[in-house]
Amino acid sequence: MIAMPVTEQSVVIARPPSEVWNYLTVAENWPSWEASIVECEQLTDGDPGVGTRWRGATRILGKRFERVSEFVEYQPAKAGVSKSVEGQIGFTASTRLEEVDGGTLFTYRVDSESDLGGIFGKLADPIVNKAYSRTVRASLDNLADLLITES
């Protein structure tokens, strides 16, 4: 079995889980804090929930990847899981929020198909994953700073 590249990072945000969740579930907010996301919009009408679809574009090492993802799990102010349903890279993205002293522990995890090799070359998988992990780390720190200033 081939291991899928996984990126997982966490940050404590000095806001309650409900406020963090409300910010995260607005598709248009993602490019303001997640450095690899260049555009994001909700495709389906209404409040987000299981079945809600988002379209977006991500830039990794200068290459743009367009995708459509869909929520397959949705627990307000607690957790969400979305999976790619269209695009060049298959992935599952998970968000988890836990109330902790000082605010909310936000954990963001992306499980990608190991097929980045078809795009960058198989030997590039570890390099791409490491670069993306650094981007996610910086993005989570940016999100924590952003939500403090928006209070």
Side-chain angles (χ1 to χ4, degrees):
M1 185 167 162
I2 297 173
M4 294 173 58
V6 174
T7 300
E8 182 172 329
Q9 298 283 340
S10 298
V11 67
V12 174
I13 300 171
R15 311 294 305 148
S18 60
E19 288 183 25
V20 175
W21 185 262
N22 290 341
Y23 187 82
L24 292 173
T25 56
V26 175
E28 292 79 11
N29 287 341
W30 280 68
S32 70
W33 69 269
E34 217 283 23
S36 66
I37 295 180
V38 293
E39 56 187 67
C40 190
E41 68 176 319
Q42 184 173 319
L43 295 176
T44 49
D45 291 332
D47 292 334
V50 171
T52 298
R53 288 192 173 200
W54 290 12
R55 174 183 22 237
T58 302
R59 188 171 307 281
I60 301 173
L61 293 178
K63 184 159 178 58
R64 181 183 171 103
F65 300 96
E66 300 204 6
R67 45 111 176 114
V68 173
S69 58
E70 179 177 307
F71 277 117
V72 295
E73 293 179 33
Y74 193 88
Q75 300 172 41
K78 291 187 181 173
V81 176
S82 61
K83 290 190 174 206
S84 60
V85 293
E86 294 175 25
Q88 298 157 287
I89 300 174
F91 68 88
T92 301
S94 306
T95 57
R96 189 173 66 246
L97 286 77
E98 299 173 51
E99 191 166 352
V100 296
D101 286 344
T104 300
L105 177 64
F106 172 55
T107 302
Y108 182 49
R109 177 184 170 115
V110 179
D111 294 83
S112 304
E113 288 182 354
S114 62
D115 213 11
L116 289 174
I119 297 163
F120 290 105
K122 201 60 159 168
L123 296 176
D125 274 355
I127 296 165
V128 172
N129 196 45
K130 188 172 184 178
Y132 181 63
S133 185
R134 281 193 307 266
T135 299
V136 170
R137 170 80 264 140
S139 294
L140 292 187
D141 291 341
N142 183 40
L143 176 63
D145 292 344
L146 183 67
L147 289 178
I148 288 171
T149 60
E150 286 202 358
S151 58

